Amino acid sequence: MTHPRNRIDDMIHSPVRLSVMSALRAADQVHFALLRDTLEVSDSLLSKHIATLEAVGYVEVTKGYAGKRPRTWFSLTSRGKQAFDTYLATLREIVEETTPSP
């Protein structure tokens, strides 16, 4: 039997990507500026991590306009939702397995 830590999804495990996934799991769609400000990261750092999550199929990027202003929205794909839920279950398993009983 292998320790659950071996099943941790490295694509999510980075602190910024974990924060992105968590924020997107809580909403249908989040626009770039709101996500950037919520996570307190720079434009370039957010873009880098979104590109990584998009490349593995966890995040969908939608570009459009709000009025005449260009906007970019992010949402989790079904694969991203499943990956995030599995990630959380794995963390719970690690915590429950290693927490000593009274």
Side-chain angles (χ1 to χ4, degrees), residues 27-91:
D28 289 332
Q29 263 189 343
V30 178
H31 70 83
F32 186 94
L34 178 59
L35 187 58
R36 177 201 60 213
D37 294 348
T38 299
L39 302 183
E40 299 175 347
V41 295
S42 67
D43 289 4
S44 61
L45 185 63
L46 179 57
S47 294
K48 174 187 170 195
H49 286 288
I50 287 290
T52 299
L53 292 169
E54 183 182 25
V56 295
Y58 290 176
V59 171
E60 180 178 13
V61 178
T62 305
K63 294 187 180 270
Y65 289 86
K68 293 185 178 188
R69 294 179 183 226
R71 293 279 189 255
T72 302
W73 293 272
F74 307 119
S75 57
L76 288 184
T77 62
S78 349
R79 181 177 178 189
K81 289 175 185 175
Q82 179 60 46
F84 187 67
D85 292 346
T86 299
Y87 177 86
L88 291 179
T90 302
L91 290 181

